[in-house]
Amino acid sequence: MPDYKAIPDAKYQSFEEKSDPTQVAPRLAAVRTQLAAMGIDGILIPRTDVHQGEYVPDSDARLAYLTGFTGSAGLAAVTADIAALFVDSRYTLQAPAQTDTALVTVLDTTTVKPGPWLAEHLPAGARLGFDPWLHTPGRLAPIREALENAGIELIPVENPVDAIWDDRPDAPKGPIEVLGHNRTGKSTEAKLAELRTTMSKDGADAVVLTLPESLCWLFNVRGRDVPHNPFVLGFAIVPAEGTPTLFVADNKLTDENRQALEGIAELRDKGEFEAALAQLAAAESSVWFDPETAPIRVKSVLADAGARLIEKRDPVLLPKARKNDVELAGMREAQKLDGIAVAKFLAWFDEAAPHGDLTEIDIVKMLESFRRDEPTAVDISFETISGSGPNGAIVHYRVSEKSNRGLNPGELMLVDSGGQYLSGTTDITRTMASGPATDEQKDRFTRVLKGMIAISRARFPAGTAGSQIDALARQFLWQIGKTYNHGTGHGVGAFLSVHEGPAGIAPSYTVPLEAGMVLSNEPGYYLEGQYGIRIENLIVVQESEDFPGYLDFETLTLAPIDRRLIAVELLDAAERDWLNAYHARVSREIGPHLDTQTRGWLDQATAPI
């Protein structure tokens, strides 16, 4: 097992402090020198790495190196005359603060799309380069279409940022942990057999896997290559017959994990992946890859060498989302461990908040300290959202030393957080009162709660997608002309990514829900400049005991919901019964693990209404 350290102390730098805009000018100049030497007119630099993950290692943070921007999504375009940074609406304040706006134009992709903008600002006949390892066919297609219509050529090139990055950090070197059957519930051999059954239906001779979460799940491994997700960065080729090949950095292999893996896969260095693709394609194989997540270079190598391409969604995503009994037992254990930490935190908060001397960072540190008390806690599952008062209305708010705000008694406090435990992954949001709440706040909180309960109690026929039940959570806000501008739920991995596809609860999720899928259930309400409300539990899809052919949900998260914020008269009898039963379960399962004082607080927090 890797030497997992306890949850590391978070850093609370402001986004301005995470970058140095004075470095943008010399780096842009150096890239432009490279472009001239390469004979191209410009270059696209995405935030993503070769694996297209939510988090990238420091060694692949090219966008941050070039522009200073450290957000989780973005794209830069640099030519001899212009530099543009495309970000979504989350980052329209952060991006200008981190880059040199005298040299870089920051554009909001909610209103300005990269393809049409570049087509307008580049001359016909221009040659715009891109790194084919950092873009996927699906995601580059809209830009390609807009540019080709304007007579502009997109061409694959070596990355010019790599050529100027003299102090580039080393690639991650964390070792690989091979999980036992007691944690996975299914051997790699069994998973491979199921995958090959799927492959045979499409006539695939091989599947190419580039997503770390797919590789980790299929081969029952975990690592520490990126923040907050226990990923091993690598690739895999799975043939219809014979031994799969796993491509990982050689320095990740120890005698112990090499011995465990060699029985199920041929181990090769990541640097050999491209040559292996070409060799695979030379046999005129039918090769399956995901055009939305695999690099363009994978497609071009396969196509150039003569493979028949099967472009479909990664076939590991769906079976990975359907947790087996062992994985679900681990997820239940993780929610219980997390519930103990959250109960201690909420009891502490109720004692400390009325004094008026808490800051958002104080609250994050205390919550993470309670999680750190659990020996099997490996990391947080994402950067904690700790929003007091008006900051709670910023859906993706991240506290820093600069933004750190004190919580005034009487304000609402929104905390969205999670943990990575050896047994599973958690994600929970609670909105807490720090004093008397207004009637409006209680009304909105209760409508959000009613929506969360509606999803929790939902029963639906097999084949139903999350898009079809999303409205259940919004209906009570819609009744007063309100809503929230985010999805109601996303998939959650089992000691993997806290954000997992392909299913979820939102208008965009059309994949049918299936038994074993773990989802978040998190409706909200946000009043800009005043407060935010979100209540989030994790739920798992299960077969209905009473209605064959139907599905419903089991709630996994175990933590009190603030009764002081509930307008009880807005709840009907069934909703009150659900809440009382849920709180009784929280008390029953979490209470015995608390000290006497905290148990007394929990008894009050979970008392029937």
Side-chain angles (χ1 to χ4, degrees):
M1 177 186 298
D3 183 19
Y4 288 125
K5 60 183 179 180
I7 296 174
D9 289 326
K11 296 179 175 59
Y12 302 99
Q13 289 177 295
S14 66
F15 46 70
E16 296 94 338
E17 295 168 330
K18 291 180 180 178
S19 60
D20 182 1
T22 64
Q23 295 298 311
V24 174
R27 291 172 182 173
L28 283 176
V31 163
R32 285 168 170 150
T33 299
Q34 288 294 124
L35 296 179
M38 296 165 69
I40 59 175
D41 299 301
I43 187 70
L44 295 176
I45 302 295
R47 188 263 182 186
T48 53
D49 68 354
V50 64
H51 301 288
Q52 304 295 313
E54 183 177 356
Y55 297 94
V56 300
D58 291 342
S59 57
D60 287 309
R62 296 176 180 86
L63 184 65
Y65 174 80
L66 182 62
T67 68
F69 171 62
T70 62
S72 64
L75 173 71
V78 179
T79 72
D81 304 314
I82 62 174
L85 175 59
F86 299 92
V87 299
D88 63 42
S89 57
R90 292 174 294 172
Y91 297 117
T92 52
L93 295 178
Q94 176 175 338
Q98 289 190 305
T99 195
D100 184 342
T101 53
L103 300 174
V104 179
T105 301
V106 178
L107 299 165
D108 182 352
T109 55
T110 57
T111 55
V112 180
K113 302 303 179 186
W117 190 92
L118 290 168
E120 180 181 346
H121 288 79
L122 295 176
R127 302 170 72 238
L128 186 64
F130 68 95
D131 184 336
W133 283 106
L134 303 183
H135 300 265
T136 72
R139 294 177 186 177
L140 193 61
I143 296 177
R144 185 187 296 277
E145 181 181 6
L147 295 181
E148 289 180 349
N149 289 339
I152 299 166
E153 185 180 5
L154 261 181
I155 56 173
V157 297
E158 296 289 331
N159 201 309
V161 174
D162 295 354
I164 69 167
W165 197 350
D166 294 331
D167 58 348
R168 185 176 178 181
D170 292 335
K173 298 178 180 178
I176 297 171
E177 177 191 7
V178 181
L179 303 185
H181 190 271
N182 63 317
R183 291 173 62 188
T184 66
K186 186 177 292 186
S187 68
T188 295
E189 291 84 355
K191 293 178 180 179
L192 287 169
E194 293 177 0
L195 174 59
R196 284 167 169 151
T197 297
T198 301
M199 292 165 57
S200 68
K201 295 176 182 177
D202 284 87
D205 297 313
V207 165
V208 175
L209 302 177
T210 62
L211 288 176
E213 52 264 56
S214 294
L215 180 151
C216 287
W217 182 84
L218 182 63
F219 292 95
N220 290 334
V221 296
R222 300 294 188 270
R224 293 285 278 165
D225 286 351
V226 298
H228 313 318
N229 294 321
F231 284 173
V232 176
L233 299 182
F235 307 102
I237 296 176
V238 180
E241 297 180 0
T243 304
T245 305
L246 187 58
F247 299 86
V248 295
D250 190 63
N251 58 17
K252 296 181 180 301
L253 297 171
T254 64
D255 290 342
E256 181 181 3
N257 62 32
R258 185 185 295 274
Q259 182 178 2
L261 288 169
E262 282 180 338
I264 56 175
E266 178 186 353
L267 302 176
R268 296 174 65 177
D269 188 78
K270 284 182 71 175
E272 301 178 50
F273 177 57
E274 184 171 350
L277 288 175
Q279 184 179 6
L280 174 67
E284 298 184 352
S285 301
S286 297
V287 184
W288 183 336
F289 71 94
D290 187 339
E292 295 299 324
T293 61
I296 287 174
R297 184 60 180 162
V298 169
K299 179 177 181 177
S300 62
V301 169
L302 292 172
D304 291 347
R308 183 177 76 86
L309 305 182
I310 301 174
E311 301 185 46
K312 294 183 64 175
R313 185 179 64 210
D314 180 336
V316 173
L317 293 181
L318 193 56
K320 175 170 60 68
R322 297 187 294 242
K323 312 295 185 293
N324 61 49
D325 289 345
V326 171
E327 289 172 317
L328 288 176
M331 290 293 279
R332 292 186 183 97
E333 175 67 14
Q335 314 312 310
K336 183 174 181 179
L337 296 173
D338 207 56
I340 294 168
V342 170
K344 293 176 181 178
F345 162 74
L346 292 175
W348 166 84
F349 177 85
D350 270 7
E351 172 67 26
H355 300 298
D357 55 3
L358 290 182
T359 69
E360 292 166 336
I361 288 179
D362 293 334
I363 289 166
V364 176
K365 285 183 174 180
M366 187 58 69
L367 174 55
E368 292 183 5
S369 74
F370 284 123
R371 284 197 170 104
R372 195 179 290 116
D373 287 342
E374 168 52 46
T376 64
V378 174
D379 200 346
I380 55 176
S381 56
F382 58 95
E383 294 180 18
T384 300
I385 297 172
S386 175
S388 66
N391 286 345
I394 304 172
V395 176
H396 295 282
Y397 175 69
R398 293 293 189 274
V399 63
S400 69
E401 292 284 1
K402 183 174 181 178
S403 71
N404 188 28
R405 183 182 181 278
L407 174 66
N408 298 316
E411 292 182 325
L412 298 185
M413 183 71 212
L414 187 155
V415 179
D416 186 348
S417 68
Q420 291 283 11
Y421 298 83
L422 293 179
S423 52
T425 304
T426 74
D427 186 359
I428 176 175
T429 307
R430 288 296 182 264
T431 304
M432 299 94 73
S434 64
T438 67
D439 290 343
E440 177 191 280
Q441 289 170 339
K442 289 182 178 180
D443 176 272
R444 304 301 188 266
F445 183 92
T446 308
R447 291 177 186 275
V448 171
L449 175 61
K450 286 167 71 73
M452 195 272 284
I453 293 173
I455 293 292
S456 304
R457 298 179 59 234
R459 180 179 293 119
F460 45 92
T464 300
S467 58
Q468 295 171 270
I469 65 171
D470 178 78
L472 296 178
R474 301 178 191 270
Q475 59 181 310
F476 306 103
L477 288 168
W478 286 352
Q479 289 171 355
I480 57 170
K482 308 295 183 183
T483 191
Y484 49 93
N485 295 320
H486 58 75
T488 299
H490 54 82
V492 179
F495 190 42
L496 274 171
S497 176
V498 76
H499 298 130
E500 173 181 88
I505 305 172
S508 60
Y509 282 115
T510 58
V511 173
L513 301 180
E514 297 187 48
M517 290 180 171
V518 175
L519 309 168
S520 67
N521 174 12
E522 50 180 314
Y525 174 77
Y526 310 92
L527 185 59
E528 184 177 357
Q530 296 191 42
Y531 61 86
I533 294 166
R534 188 159 64 251
I535 309 170
E536 176 186 17
N537 283 346
L538 296 191
I539 53 179
V540 60
V541 184
Q542 61 184 4
E543 295 180 359
S544 174
E545 292 184 0
D546 302 321
F547 297 89
Y550 277 70
L551 301 170
D552 53 29
F553 294 115
E554 171 196 346
T555 295
L556 299 178
T557 302
L558 296 168
I561 296 166
D562 199 330
R563 295 160 63 255
R564 297 165 299 186
L565 292 172
I566 299 173
V568 178
E569 67 277 7
L570 293 181
L571 298 180
D572 63 28
E575 291 165 339
R576 288 196 299 272
D577 289 345
W578 183 94
L579 182 63
N580 287 337
Y582 174 70
H583 274 158
R585 179 183 164 210
V586 171
S587 178
R588 183 173 63 252
E589 296 194 31
I590 300 299
H593 302 278
L594 304 176
D595 60 49
T596 301
Q597 182 176 350
T598 309
R599 177 64 188 266
W601 172 88
L602 184 66
D603 288 342
Q604 292 185 334
T606 58
I609 59 171

